[in-house]
Amino acid sequence: MAGCSLFSGPPPETFDLIGPSSVPTKAGTAAQILIPEPSALKTLDSERIVVATGPRLSYYPDAQWPDRMPKVYQAKAIEAFEKSKRAKAVGRPGEGLSIDYQILTNIRSFEYRTDGVAGGFAHIEVAVKIMDDRNGRIVATRTITGDASVSEDTAEGVVAGVDAALSQVLVELVRWTLSVI
């Protein structure tokens, strides 16, 4: 079956997100924080870049993330906490942390929104719960959103807009979490 493929032509170009370069915050914690992989609807739980035109969802052609979006978000959230230098330890399941709190996230939107004519913007929305790992109680909940303009309807332009929106979300996530715990 050599040569058989579901795709014709070259593979999609892969784009990574950078997230915030730093996360300035005054609050800090000695708590150890676990960030499990977020949940998301199947449309978002993929490598593909989502394009929303009204209620219609599609994927940006010939472009993809380096992994499924929930895993990319998880990695960038961990990096944001590390860049803040204000959390004792943060990681994912299996990394041997003595967990104090878990950051439970549901990715509701992670997309390029367009009207199909005049351009669009990047939009991210996540619902977040902070759970005390010692007793399983939710200590705080919040929905965090980020919006950023998209300079041009190209894969590079869309990724830059999504990255800017993600940076907004992650900075707010770190600041809020550290102020709560």
Side-chain angles (χ1 to χ4, degrees):
M1 289 268 163
C4 289
S5 174
L6 296 174
F7 302 103
S8 60
E13 192 169 1
T14 302
F15 293 90
D16 199 3
L17 296 168
I18 298 165
S21 57
S22 66
V23 183
T25 183
K26 293 179 180 164
T29 185
Q32 295 193 38
I33 303 168
L34 180 77
I35 301 180
E37 184 178 316
S39 62
L41 291 175
K42 187 172 182 164
T43 305
L44 298 170
D45 191 2
S46 108
E47 294 87 7
R48 306 292 305 275
I49 299 171
V50 175
V51 177
T53 307
R56 186 179 67 121
L57 301 176
S58 59
Y59 296 109
Y60 208 85
D62 302 320
Q64 67 183 5
W65 303 121
D67 205 333
R68 291 177 23 260
M69 178 41 54
K71 287 180 108 32
V72 173
Y73 178 91
Q74 177 190 35
K76 298 307 172 186
I78 291 168
E79 286 177 24
F81 276 96
E82 292 169 344
K83 287 177 182 177
S84 79
K85 298 181 168 108
R86 306 294 285 165
K88 179 178 179 182
V90 62
R92 58 185 53 81
E95 292 183 343
L97 294 177
S98 178
I99 305 160
D100 297 303
Y101 294 94
Q102 290 191 42
I103 309 301
L104 307 174
T105 307
N106 174 258
I107 301 172
R108 293 181 176 169
S109 297
F110 205 105
E111 61 206 23
Y112 168 50
R113 290 188 173 176
T114 179
D115 62 11
V117 179
F121 63 99
H123 176 74
I124 296 174
E125 179 179 320
V126 295
V128 183
K129 297 175 185 165
I130 300 174
M131 183 180 80
D132 184 328
D133 200 65
R134 294 168 294 225
N135 60 25
R137 289 201 155 98
I138 301 299
V139 297
T141 63
R142 181 155 182 215
T143 299
I144 303 171
T145 59
D147 291 305
S149 62
V150 171
S151 61
E152 58 184 352
D153 188 0
T154 64
E156 290 83 1
V158 168
V159 169
V162 170
D163 194 49
L166 176 64
S167 292
Q168 293 172 22
V169 167
L170 294 179
V171 166
E172 186 58 26
L173 172 69
V174 171
R175 287 181 177 163
W176 172 70
T177 301
L178 295 178
S179 72
V180 169
I181 61 174

